[in-house]
Structures are given as C-alpha cells and as structure tokens.
Amino acid sequence: MTTDTARPLTLGSRYASEFPELGVPWTAAEAAEPRLLVLNEALADELALDADYLRGEEGVRLLTGTHVPAGATPFAQAYAGHQFGGYSPRLGDGRALLMGELPDGRDLHLKGSGRTPFARGGDGLAAVGPMLREYVISEAMHALGVPTTRSLAVVATGNTVYREQPLPGAVLARVAASHLRVGTFQFARSVDDDDLLRRLADHAIARHHPHATHAARPYLELFASVLRDQAELVASWMLIGFIHGVMNTDNTTISGETIDYGPCAFMDAFDPATVFSSIDTGGRYAYANQPPVLQWNLARFAETLVPLVDPDQDEAVRLLTEELGTFPERYQQAWTAGMRAKIGLPDDVPAAEATDLIDELSRLLSATGADYTGFFRALVAAADGDDQPVRDLVGALAEGWLVRWRALEPDRESMARVNPIYIPRNHLVEEALDAATAGDMGPFTELLVVVTDPYTELPDYERYTRPAPPESAPHVTFCGT
Ligand code: AMP
Ligand code: MG
C-alpha cells in the first residue's frame, strides 16, 4: 500500500535533454494487470528509494513505465552495433526505456515496456522467465564482485507474450551506471557530427572516467580507461566461468559494467569451447573467445574516437592502435592475479612458478572436464587438509599438482573469499523460471537466497552446489527472449 509517508521517486532527464539526437521521448505500453513479482529491497535502500512506495500502486506503475514522475522524460535510446560481427546501423531500445537518472546519478531503465521506434520486427515485450533470469543472474554477478547492471524489480504485466507458446509478460526495472555502449558511440559517429561525438565523449568522461579530463589527450585516455575496465571485467567473467553469450558491441558498456543478460550461463564442466546460445553456431562468443572478442569490440570503439584524438587522422589511428595493443597484457595480468587468488598463492611466490602451476591446472581441468566451480571449492577443502573432494573430481592426475601447490603454503582464507560455493547453475535457474512462469515464485526466491550470498555455506542447500545430473540434456539458451 502507498502510505501517506511514502516517498515518491524523483528522476532526472539529463540524457534525454542533452542528447535529443540519440533517442526519442517515448511512453511505455499499458500493463493490463501489473503485479510485483520481486523487489530488490537491498538495492532500493542503497539508492535511498522508498521500498514501500515502490510496492504501492503508483510505485508498481512506475516500475512498468506507466507512471512518469514529474520532470522525467522516458526515452528510447538509439545505438548501432556489430552483432556477431555484422554491422547494424540502427538498433536502439526496441523494447526498453530509459526512465531517467536516479538521485545518485545512475540510470533507471525498463526492459519489456512495449514497442518503440527501434522495435523493427519485434513486439516490444518480454516474458516473465527471461526477465527473472536477468534479475537473478545480474544479482548473483554483483554478489560475486563483478561490475554489473543491477536489478531493482520485475513486475508481471498481466499481458500475454507470444513466443513458441503464450507466456506471461513482464517488465524488468534495472539500474546501471549508465546505458552508454560502444554501440552508442558507433551511432554518434555514423551521423558524422563531430560536435555530437565530442559531447557524448565528454558526458562519458564526466560520468565514468573523470580523471581523463586532466590527461594530455582526454579522449585517448577515455579509450585507455574503458580498455582497462573492460579487460578487468572480462577477466572476472573468465575467473568465475561466466559466458555472456552475446558480446555484440551494443552489449559492451563504456562504464565497464556487464550488461544484457540474455543467453548467458555459467560453465559447469570445464571446457574452453563451451557455448550455450542456440544462435551462436560458430562459437564466436565461446568461453575462451571472450577476451579476444572484447578486444575486437574495443577496436570498434577506437574507430569511433579517431576524429577526437588528433586532427591528423594517421596520428590518431597510431595512438589508438598502440593503446589497443595493450589489451592482451592487461587482460593477462588481471586474470593471473585472480587465478593466483583462487588457488591461494601467497604474494611471494614468483611469477614464473605461479604461471607454471596455473598452466598445469588449466591442462588438468581441460583433460578431466571437472566441474569448474566445484573444483575450486574442493581445493579449499584440500587447503584444509582434505584432498578427497579434489580426487573425486580429477582423480589421480591431481597428485603431482597437489604436492607442488601445497609446498607453496596456499592461503585458505583468501581462497574461501574468492571461490563461490553457489552460482546460478543452469538447471536450477531453469527450474526456478519454469516454476515462476507457472505462478510459483518459491524456487526463484530460494535460488536468490544462495546466489546473493555465494561464499556462505548454508546447511540445507547442498543441492545448489552440484552440477546438473549427468543424464540431463546439454544446456541451451535462447536469444530473442
Ligand atoms: P538484446 O539481445 O536484448 O541485446 O537486444 C538486441 C536488440 O534487439 C536491441 O536493439 C533490442 O532492443 C532489440 N529487441 C530484442 N527483443 C526485442 C523485442 N521483443 N521487441 C523489440 N525489440 C527487441
Ligand atoms: Mg542489448
């Protein structure tokens, strides 16, 4: 209920008013019978939003876009993008709206709020399952310490969405540092207006990379800063076995946050070639391809910045190319530091020795196809003196490795802090979403409990630590959700 003391939410319209060229003011579709399925109270608190207000009639309408706070201008954003390598000059929010900026400067954005001028052939809608999927996986990622957009709420609309079958419709309300993408820059660059491009770059610097203002070449530093953040981001994905599944340039942020949880999934059995998405038939976005693909996306970003970096185009290209070339090294550094922490190596273990041990471990995991998340927790047990869980996963192959590793005196506590017990395992996510689609939120709520506190072992949740039973079909995720 909305009470007399409930505090309505206020939203800015900075992006809509500063960048009229980059979108269209728009109105959300009516929701026949809006019903709040899940509200992220912790996030509401963090944002100083009134959860009671959001639960009330007006709040729920705001979360579907049908109540617009005074001063707000819901805005369908334009962007371009390379999808699976092919360029689309006009993508944009086909079924989404930027509601505006929250008091802390982050964006409040809705997904599934109806057709916009960017909808192309789409219906502008989203189903309950995929929106809850983004909710649970993004919140799990946040709990795992990965920069990500957050999920504030999912509201069932009461409308029917037609996919292979009729499904209940929903709107996801998400919060992001911003919705600036590489694709936003591609769009601004394509209209050939250097002033627009410069204003966009200045906006991105002010919001996400303010130190760049003071650099000798601010726009080159913007590029370098995005590159550093994205190198660390993709390293953090690799370390937890996360596969985004659709790393198009429109799904690569300027803030360095993970965005757009569509066909993403966590790898169970270790296999660098793992692909879950039904449409990724060539394996472009396979697990091991994520770092090179990110570098490719950054090259597309670099191209958009050429006119800003130097009046001499050749010089601009030279400077940006040189910076782009630092990506593999930056990525490798971030990944190696993370891997050292996962196996608990003390700081004084020399780099060459650590690399050797990590390489051998990668071979061990590849050869055995061990459950990735389970293996590192088994290693925590091994640090406590119990090798049996490791042996159960990788067998005798591990003996020599364990002897070398133990001699380096691994730090058990640091390992327990970075190796999760609970991740949103595919079969559990599917089970929770199927139940929610049928009207039972119980399994979703349970799953959310464990994945949002992934390092704390709970007595009755053993089932959530195990991979899918071997007889189950390989996991496949679907796009166009
Ligand atoms: P995504 O795969 O969610 O990153 O979306 C890729 C593009 O397709 C974006 O421009 C979306 O707005 C658009 N899109 C995806 N699904 C729909 C839909 N059901 N209706 C309209 N546009 C959509
Ligand atoms: Mg997208």
Side-chain angles (χ1 to χ4, degrees):
M1 286 307 295
T2 305
T3 60
D4 292 342
T5 54
R7 264 181 303 114
L9 188 151
T10 56
L11 288 171
S13 55
R14 179 174 171 201
Y15 193 78
S17 59
E18 285 181 23
F19 296 101
E21 308 91 332
L22 296 182
V24 188
W26 202 253
T27 309
E30 274 310 316
E33 219 178 305
R35 192 165 54 85
L36 186 63
L37 292 181
V38 55
L39 176 69
N40 190 338
E41 296 207 12
L43 179 60
D45 281 353
E46 183 187 316
L47 293 163
L49 305 180
D50 184 347
D52 288 337
Y53 170 74
L54 292 173
R55 253 189 246 101
E57 194 261 341
E58 187 176 284
V60 170
R61 282 197 298 119
L62 187 146
L63 293 169
T64 59
T66 54
H67 169 75
V68 179
T73 306
F75 194 65
Q77 294 161 286
Y79 49 84
H82 280 87
Q83 300 183 303
F84 290 89
Y87 184 63
S88 294
R90 196 168 180 274
L91 291 168
D93 289 335
R95 55 162 171 178
L97 285 176
L98 172 64
M99 288 300 286
E101 297 90 18
L102 292 157
D104 82 339
R106 278 189 268 180
D107 283 357
L108 178 64
H109 183 92
L110 305 180
K111 197 161 166 178
S113 50
R115 285 179 59 88
T116 76
F118 302 106
R120 296 169 289 161
D123 60 6
L125 302 176
V128 161
M131 295 305 99
L132 287 176
R133 188 181 162 79
E134 172 155 341
Y135 187 106
V136 68
I137 298 186
S138 65
E139 287 307 304
M141 293 285 273
H142 173 71
L144 291 166
V146 179
T148 176
T149 62
R150 303 289 307 277
S151 293
L152 180 61
V154 175
V155 178
T157 56
N159 301 340
T160 302
V161 178
Y162 295 91
R163 296 293 180 254
E164 288 84 24
Q165 60 203 339
L167 293 168
V171 173
L172 167 79
R174 79 176 170 200
V175 171
S178 84
H179 285 78
L180 300 176
R181 308 148 188 268
V182 166
T184 316
F185 279 79
Q186 291 180 292
F187 185 88
R189 178 79 179 95
S190 72
V191 300
D192 209 19
D193 173 349
D194 284 359
D195 173 63
L196 171 64
L197 190 64
R198 190 179 305 274
R199 284 189 290 117
L200 181 63
D202 288 340
H203 178 84
I205 288 173
R207 272 180 101 163
H208 307 305
H209 307 278
H211 71 278
T213 326
H214 312 292
R217 292 179 187 271
Y219 305 111
L220 182 62
E221 180 51 32
L222 168 64
F223 179 66
S225 190
V226 173
L227 181 145
R228 289 193 292 268
D229 289 355
Q230 285 284 350
E232 281 183 17
L233 180 67
V234 77
S236 69
W237 294 356
M238 298 301 282
L239 290 163
I240 56 173
F242 175 77
I243 301 169
H244 183 283
V246 59
M247 286 178 71
N248 296 331
T249 57
D250 52 299
N251 291 336
T252 301
T253 58
I254 302 302
S255 65
E257 288 182 340
T258 312
I259 197 169
D260 276 357
Y261 293 85
C264 63
F266 282 76
M267 175 171 66
D268 290 321
F270 184 79
D271 176 2
T274 305
V275 173
F276 292 115
S277 170
S278 63
I279 60 170
D280 192 2
T281 47
R284 180 181 172 90
Y285 300 140
Y287 173 72
N289 265 1
Q290 296 186 118
V293 159
L294 205 272
Q295 185 176 6
W296 191 90
N297 289 351
L298 289 168
R300 306 290 79 76
F301 181 40
E303 285 161 2
T304 71
L305 296 174
V306 167
L308 303 183
V309 165
D310 196 279
D312 174 356
Q313 182 174 318
D314 292 343
E315 178 62 0
V317 170
R318 191 188 67 74
L319 290 165
L320 286 160
T321 305
E322 187 177 278
E323 190 56 48
L324 184 65
T326 67
F327 180 85
E329 174 70 25
R330 294 218 181 264
Y331 166 73
Q332 198 60 39
Q333 263 173 19
W335 184 81
T336 304
M339 210 29 116
R340 286 183 69 121
K342 280 177 89 69
I343 64 173
L345 290 190
D347 291 345
D348 59 2
V349 173
E353 193 165 356
T355 302
D356 202 48
L357 200 66
I358 290 168
D359 286 351
E360 195 183 326
L361 177 59
S362 297
R363 282 193 294 275
L364 192 71
L365 292 174
S366 288
T368 56
D371 179 69
Y372 184 75
T373 304
F375 175 83
F376 288 98
R377 280 314 292 197
L379 208 53
V380 177
D384 285 332
D386 178 9
D387 289 354
Q388 198 53 47
V390 170
R391 285 210 197 87
D392 290 347
L393 283 167
V394 295
L397 280 172
E399 300 299 339
W401 190 88
L402 282 172
V403 170
R404 281 179 67 193
W405 170 70
R406 210 186 307 281
L408 299 170
E409 298 180 11
D411 175 355
R412 189 254 177 226
E413 290 315 310
S414 88
M415 292 174 69
R417 273 196 301 275
V418 298
N419 291 308
I421 301 167
Y422 308 107
I423 53 162
R425 290 187 179 269
N426 303 319
H427 64 294
L428 299 172
V429 173
E430 292 316 313
E431 181 186 291
L433 301 187
D434 286 349
T437 300
D440 175 11
M441 287 294 286
F444 180 86
T445 309
E446 292 268 300
L447 181 62
L448 199 58
V449 167
V450 294
V451 300
T452 55
D453 190 9
Y455 307 104
T456 306
E457 190 159 6
L458 296 174
D460 298 326
Y461 287 81
E462 226 279 304
R463 187 171 90 85
Y464 288 79
T465 66
R466 281 190 250 117
E471 63 276 16
S472 55
H475 184 69
V476 180
T477 56
F478 298 94
C479 232
T481 46

